[in-house]
Amino acid sequence: AQTVTQSQPEMSVQEAETVTLSCTYDTSESNYYLFWYKQPPSRQMILVIRQEAYKQQNATENRFSVNFQKAAKSFSLKISDSQLGDTAMYFCAFIEIGNQFYFGTGTSLTVIP
Amino acid sequence: DADVTQTPRNRITKTGKRIMLECSQTKGHDRMYWYRQDPGLGLQLIYYSFDVKDINKGEISDGYSVSRQAQAKFSLSLESAIPNQTALYFCATSDSLRGQPQHFGDGTRLSIL
């Protein structure tokens, strides 16, 4: 069974606009951690943002923020003021305490000038 | 210098050859992982190691083996490469503290003809 689901294989956004990438996950645990990683064409995997499930406050990192809905098991990434350098694959990832990481299948984001 | 170093960066080889991909890290992390990435499938876990004497199979370990030579070194071997093992391979590390993100090498692009 798929533990992490990214339902948008591809998305595009105009430069300077805002875009939201969706992610849902499945778990019976109450304590876990969620992450978004960015993979630009250079193929590096870069950590964008981290969220702890027991914290109700949504994590933010500059132009990147999340909308964490624990009851709905949803963890979306919002990119504000999109820049050309944001063009990349974005992966949602999830870890339960003591267990392995699970990654979604990714969303390819293109920022259009 | 990179914290997680993978060698080689790219490799082209023939079916039936034995291949070794190497990973070393300077982060001092106990945990190391090998993933493969295929288009549309995200990252799939091959093997992981929580310390030098602890090696575990991931979801797609068939056809692969690993060796944890030291805390800082974790190598992946393909004993007899086949074309469907053509993929991008990533090594990652993480701290044993709960909820810590994984840190990735730059990947090895492996092509098997």
Side-chain angles (χ1 to χ4, degrees):
Chain A
Q2 182 72 17
T3 303
V4 180
T5 301
Q6 293 180 250
S7 59
Q8 305 152 313
E10 296 181 354
M11 294 189 72
S12 61
V13 62
Q14 291 291 138
E15 194 175 5
E17 297 295 311
T18 295
V19 63
T20 299
L21 310 182
S22 66
C23 174
T24 58
Y25 57 93
D26 184 34
T27 182
S28 58
E29 299 293 326
S30 60
N31 196 12
Y32 48 88
Y33 297 80
L34 296 154
F35 307 85
W36 278 97
Y37 282 86
K38 170 186 178 181
Q39 186 181 40
S42 63
R43 85 190 193 202
Q44 294 171 299
M45 289 287 285
I46 302 165
L47 178 67
V48 174
I49 204 162
R50 173 178 178 264
Q51 175 78 43
E52 301 173 35
Y54 60 86
K55 287 190 176 180
Q56 294 186 344
Q57 185 173 6
N58 289 324
T60 62
E61 287 288 341
N62 300 313
R63 297 182 296 107
F64 297 87
S65 61
V66 298
N67 183 6
F68 174 49
Q69 302 289 328
K70 192 172 184 178
K73 298 179 184 176
S74 171
F75 182 61
S76 59
L77 176 70
K78 186 172 81 171
I79 306 174
S80 304
D81 186 25
S82 296
Q83 301 176 359
L84 297 179
D86 296 333
T87 291
M89 282 289 288
Y90 288 82
F91 292 97
C92 179
F94 162 87
I95 183 171
E96 296 170 336
I97 302 304
N99 287 339
Q100 67 186 57
F101 263 62
Y102 295 96
F103 286 86
T105 52
T107 295
S108 177
L109 177 67
T110 300
V111 179
I112 302 167
Chain B
D1 288 342
D3 294 326
V4 184
T5 301
Q6 289 184 236
T7 56
R9 182 167 173 80
N10 299 286
R11 178 79 185 267
I12 301 173
T13 190
K14 295 181 179 180
T15 298
K17 294 291 187 181
R18 184 178 187 274
I19 307 299
M20 179 179 286
L21 309 184
E22 299 188 354
C23 178
S24 62
Q25 52 119 343
T26 58
K27 298 191 73 68
H29 289 164
D30 291 325
R31 300 183 175 191
M32 298 187 74
Y33 310 79
W34 276 104
Y35 292 91
R36 70 176 274 175
Q37 183 182 10
D38 298 278
L41 295 180
L43 276 75
Q44 297 175 280
L45 183 63
I46 306 172
Y47 271 95
Y48 61 103
S49 170
F50 282 0
D51 65 42
V52 175
K53 296 183 180 180
D54 178 65
I55 305 288
N56 303 282
K57 292 182 177 181
E59 54 190 310
I60 58 161
S61 59
D62 288 348
Y64 302 93
S65 63
V66 291
S67 174
R68 184 84 183 264
Q69 300 95 327
Q71 188 207 33
K73 296 184 181 292
F74 192 37
S75 60
L76 175 72
S77 293
L78 290 68
E79 296 300 327
S80 180
I82 56 177
N84 74 1
Q85 292 177 312
T86 292
L88 181 58
Y89 289 84
F90 282 102
C91 174
T93 74
S94 69
D95 192 272
S96 56
L97 292 175
R98 65 187 195 178
Q100 295 304 302
Q102 294 190 345
H103 300 266
F104 288 81
D106 287 345
T108 295
R109 186 166 299 283
L110 179 61
S111 298
I112 301 165
L113 306 178

